[in-house]
Amino acid sequence: MSLQAIGLSLLALGAVAAAPPLEAVSGESLTQAERRLRACLSANASGGHATLEAAVLSTRVACKPQIDGARDARIVAATAGLGPDEAQAIARRVTRELNNEIAHAIANFSGLSAHHAHH
């Protein structure tokens, strides 16, 4: 499975949780949310997974609160002052970008590549 296909899978997972959040978790700053997410991804991605897809799925489950916090903080920052329709479009774009970044980070932290997913 390619990173692009994994990104699309993550998009589908993220779309379920992509209801427009109104504020970051507990007022957490974007920097704090990003640090917590990176630490969680790093700690969970190298769990001896056989494939990148397994690593992505497992790590996303383990890091769901951190992913949600980072997504919410990014959306708040990116949509400040926008109207509802424009904010919703930006929120979807932010979610897609975050999902792609997560897949790449997990690939880097796990040492797995999309090539391993075909074995």
Side-chain angles (χ1 to χ4, degrees):
M1 178 176 270
S2 70
L3 282 179
Q4 183 177 19
I6 291 170
L8 291 175
S9 297
L10 294 176
L11 176 60
L13 290 173
V16 173
L22 300 177
E23 59 186 69
V25 177
S26 303
E28 183 174 52
S29 77
L30 180 56
T31 302
Q32 291 167 323
E34 298 283 343
R35 284 183 186 148
R36 287 185 31 185
L37 175 57
R38 183 167 180 79
C40 187
L41 294 175
S42 176
N44 287 281
S46 58
H49 303 285
T51 66
L52 179 57
E53 181 179 26
V56 168
L57 292 174
S58 174
T59 303
R60 282 191 62 89
V61 168
C63 297
K64 184 172 179 357
Q66 292 81 5
I67 292 168
D68 291 349
R71 185 198 66 229
D72 292 352
R74 285 184 181 196
I75 289 172
V76 167
T79 60
L82 300 179
D85 291 340
E86 190 177 7
Q88 190 173 29
I90 297 296
R92 285 191 299 267
R93 181 181 55 85
V94 166
T95 300
R96 280 192 308 271
E97 290 172 358
L98 178 60
N99 285 338
N100 287 332
E101 289 174 29
I102 289 168
H104 286 283
I106 293 170
N108 289 336
F109 290 136
S110 69
L112 297 170
S113 69
H115 183 261
H116 286 101
H118 295 293
H119 292 176

